[in-house]
Amino acid sequence: MFTASRRILLVALAVMAGCASRAPLTREILDEQSGNTLLVVTVPLEFARERNDVAAHARDYATLVAVEVDNAGKYGDYLLLYRWSTVDRRMSPPPDPGQGRLHIFADGRELDLAPLADLPVGPARLRELHLPPHGDPIVHAYPIAAETLRYIASSSELTVRMPQEPLDAPFLLREDGRAALRAFVTR
C-alpha cells in the first residue's frame, strides 16, 4: 500500500523521466575549422517533385536546413539547401551548381533568395547538418532573417521552386520540419 508521500514521489519521478527523454529542440555543433558554434534545427524541411518522366519512383529533392552561426558573439541565420535527386544522371543532368536562386512560396507569399558565394560552415560539418545520405548534393547557403524563418515555420502551405532549372515543376513538402523550425526560432 502506497502512502501519499510515496505517490507524490512516484509522480515526480515519472515527470522528471518524461522531461529527460524529450528530444532537444536544437543541436549545437562546434565547427573546428572556423571555431564557430553552429546551432542547427533538429528536423529539416524536405521537398520533392516526382520525375515519372524519366523513371518510376524517381524524384528530385530540395532539403532546407536552418542554421545559426555564432562567430565570437556575432550571430547569423542561414538556410542550407541540399539539391539532390534519385534520377539517373544519364537520364537528367543535375542542375548547374553555379546557379542557386531559391523561391519559397509560403501561404501565397514568394520569398526570393539568392545564394552566398561561400558556405558559412566548413564542408566537414555538412554530415552533421542533415546532409542527405543519397547522391551527391549541390549545396547552397542563403542568409535569412529570423522573422522570415518564423513566417516559414508558421505557414500552412509551403512549396519551393528553382527558376534556373529547366523543369519548372514545384517541389512539394514531403518531410514536414515546421514544428522543429518553430522550436528553432523561438529558443
Side-chain angles (χ1 to χ4, degrees):
M1 188 131 199
F2 289 113
T3 64
S5 61
R6 283 190 176 176
R7 283 189 194 130
I8 292 171
L9 179 61
L10 286 174
V11 169
L13 288 172
V15 168
M16 288 181 358
C19 291
S21 65
R22 216 174 257 171
L25 300 177
T26 56
R27 256 185 31 225
E28 191 172 294
I29 300 166
L30 175 64
D31 185 349
E32 290 143 1
Q33 288 179 323
S34 66
N36 296 335
T37 302
L38 311 174
L39 204 59
V40 61
V41 69
T42 55
V43 179
L45 295 165
E46 185 177 283
F47 297 85
R49 67 177 171 204
E50 298 293 325
R51 291 300 308 271
N52 295 331
D53 58 322
V54 292
H57 309 293
R59 291 184 185 96
D60 290 332
Y61 292 91
T63 303
L64 295 177
V65 179
V67 177
E68 180 182 82
V69 177
D70 175 0
N71 182 356
K74 182 180 176 193
Y75 296 90
D77 289 322
Y78 302 91
L79 268 181
L80 295 180
L81 164 70
Y82 299 114
R83 174 61 182 86
W84 56 288
S85 183
T86 60
V87 176
D88 186 326
R89 289 179 183 236
R90 295 172 295 181
M91 301 298 289
S92 178
D96 181 356
Q99 301 293 314
R101 266 213 89 87
L102 175 65
H103 292 190
I104 299 173
F105 295 88
D107 290 342
R109 180 176 160 198
E110 180 179 356
L111 307 169
D112 183 16
L113 304 175
L116 294 169
D118 297 311
L119 296 178
V121 298
R125 291 288 155 236
L126 292 179
R127 286 245 175 268
E128 299 171 83
L129 302 175
H130 302 290
L131 183 72
H134 182 78
D136 186 20
I138 295 170
V139 184
H140 293 289
Y142 306 86
I144 194 159
E147 296 79 30
T148 306
L149 287 174
R150 193 171 288 110
Y151 179 77
I152 292 168
S154 66
S155 66
S156 56
E157 290 184 33
L158 203 54
T159 60
V160 167
R161 286 188 185 263
M162 290 171 215
Q164 69 277 352
E165 293 191 13
L167 183 60
D168 192 31
F171 290 77
L172 305 177
L173 191 60
R174 181 163 193 236
E175 296 293 330
D176 193 351
R178 286 179 286 188
L181 185 56
R182 276 190 296 276
F184 178 85
V185 296
T186 59
R187 73 203 176 291

